[in-house]
């Protein structure tokens, strides 16, 4: 699913246009963010694509939701 990742006042946030949902990131697998998973405040876990560590935000990427459909 397409998601937009951006920096927010409280850290990172993820916006899912298809669901009109914006949630804060509460946990990340890798400090560099890319190629690992992120856990959102609503409990979703998203696998992010491999990208360069210095990729600038905001950015729209194709993420995969664990544990079910988008």
């Amino acid at each position: 699913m397409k998601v937009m990742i951006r920096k927010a006042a409280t850290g990172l946030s993820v916006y899912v246009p298809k669901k009109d949902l914006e949630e804060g990131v509460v946990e990340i697998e890798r400090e560099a963010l890319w190629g690992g998973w992120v856990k959102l405040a609503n409990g979703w876990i998203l696998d992010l694509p491999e990208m360069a560590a210095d990729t600038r935000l905001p950015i729209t990427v194709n993420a995969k939701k664990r544990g079910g459909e988008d």
Side-chain angles (χ1 to χ4, degrees), residues 22-37:
E22 184 162 8
E23 291 287 341
V25 174
V26 295
E27 189 177 347
I28 60 173
E29 177 181 23
R30 297 183 181 176
E31 187 176 326
L33 187 65
W34 308 112
W37 53 261

Side-chain angles (χ1 to χ4, degrees), residues 20-68:
D20 193 27
L21 172 77
E22 184 162 8
E23 291 287 341
V25 174
V26 295
E27 189 177 347
I28 60 173
E29 177 181 23
R30 297 183 181 176
E31 187 176 326
L33 187 65
W34 308 112
W37 53 261
V38 294
K39 184 173 185 179
L40 306 184
N42 68 356
W44 287 10
I45 297 176
L46 302 177
D47 290 313
L48 300 179
E50 289 283 348
M51 298 181 84
D54 61 352
T55 301
R56 298 178 73 170
L57 300 177
I59 189 169
T60 300
V61 297
N62 197 14
K64 186 171 194 168
K65 181 180 170 197
R66 287 190 184 177

